[in-house]
């Protein structure tokens, strides 16, 4: 008696096994791809625009030295951060801070202040559009 392995039921089972083998291989490849992109990828950069620059120490400047800023313009800075893709993609504009500290003022007139940028854990500042700000300080006069 001849053994026939090409019966419709056997062919259907073989096709089903082949389909599930390919499906499992495809799903495994997708999972591996996401792992490689999210966790093992090289550094990823992203630029955040118009981060407001906050002025610290204005009250101390007035009380301790008797100075005040002549004008406090609206100041912003564009910041580029770098890190792993998963960390960088979680960062929002509000997570980045830009600060100038007036504690270095020693005399009235034009003063330069460094813009200090802080980014969230897992990221570092790669570049910033403004590294220093010039502001004018003068004697405080109360009326």
């Amino acid at each position: 008696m001849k053994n026939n392995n090409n019966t419709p039921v056997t062919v259907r089972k073989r096709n089903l096994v082949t389909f599930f083998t390919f499906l499992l291989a495809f799903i495994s490849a997708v999972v591996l791809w996401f792992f490689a992109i999210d966790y093992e990828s090289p550094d990823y950069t992203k630029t955040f625009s118009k981060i407001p620059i906050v002025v610290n120490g204005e009250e101390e400047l007035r009380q301790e030295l008797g100075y005040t800023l002549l004008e406090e313009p609206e100041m912003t800075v564009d910041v580029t951060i770098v890190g792993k893709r998963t960390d960088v993609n979680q960062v929002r504009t509000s997570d980045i801070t830009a600060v100038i500290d007036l504690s270095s003022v020693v005399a009235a007139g034009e003063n330069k202040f460094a813009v200090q940028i802080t980014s969230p854990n897992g990221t570092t500042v790669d570049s910033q559009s403004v590294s220093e700000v010039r502001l004018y300080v003068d004697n405080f006069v109360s009326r």
Side-chain angles (χ1 to χ4, degrees):
M1 188 172 196
K2 190 174 176 186
N3 188 359
N4 188 356
N5 285 336
N6 289 331
T7 63
V9 172
T10 307
V11 170
R12 200 173 310 141
K13 283 182 183 179
R14 222 178 311 150
N15 287 343
L16 196 57
V17 168
T18 303
F19 170 76
F20 281 114
T21 302
F22 280 120
L23 183 63
L24 180 63
F26 177 76
I27 291 171
S28 298
V30 168
V31 168
L32 184 62
W33 176 255
F34 280 116
F35 175 78
I37 285 180
D38 286 342
Y39 297 103
E40 299 298 324
S41 64
D43 289 339
Y44 179 72
T45 61
K46 186 174 181 181
T47 300
F48 295 84
S49 299
K50 298 185 179 177
I51 305 293
I53 300 174
V54 177
V55 177
N56 281 347
E58 194 169 1
E59 189 62 35
E60 291 83 2
L61 183 70
R62 184 175 298 130
Q63 289 178 353
E64 294 175 14
L65 298 174
Y67 294 143
T68 188
L69 291 176
L70 288 181
E71 179 181 334
E72 192 175 329
E74 292 263 339
M75 299 175 289
T76 61
V77 61
D78 297 340
V79 177
T80 301
I81 62 171
V82 64
K84 288 186 178 181
R85 181 182 296 265
T86 53
D87 294 333
V88 172
N89 282 336
Q90 292 176 357
V91 176
R92 296 181 310 263
T93 301
S94 60
D95 297 330
I96 301 171
T97 58
V99 177
I100 59 173
D101 184 13
L102 301 181
S103 65
S104 63
V105 172
V106 292
E110 181 182 74
N111 286 268
K112 293 181 194 175
F113 302 98
V115 178
Q116 301 296 323
I117 307 292
T118 305
S119 65
N121 289 339
T123 64
T124 56
V125 176
D126 186 46
S127 66
Q128 61 193 73
S129 62
V130 177
S131 59
E132 69 179 20
V133 174
R134 295 174 188 249
L135 296 174
Y136 290 92
V137 176
D138 202 357
N139 291 321
F140 176 71
V141 178
S142 63
R143 297 180 193 231

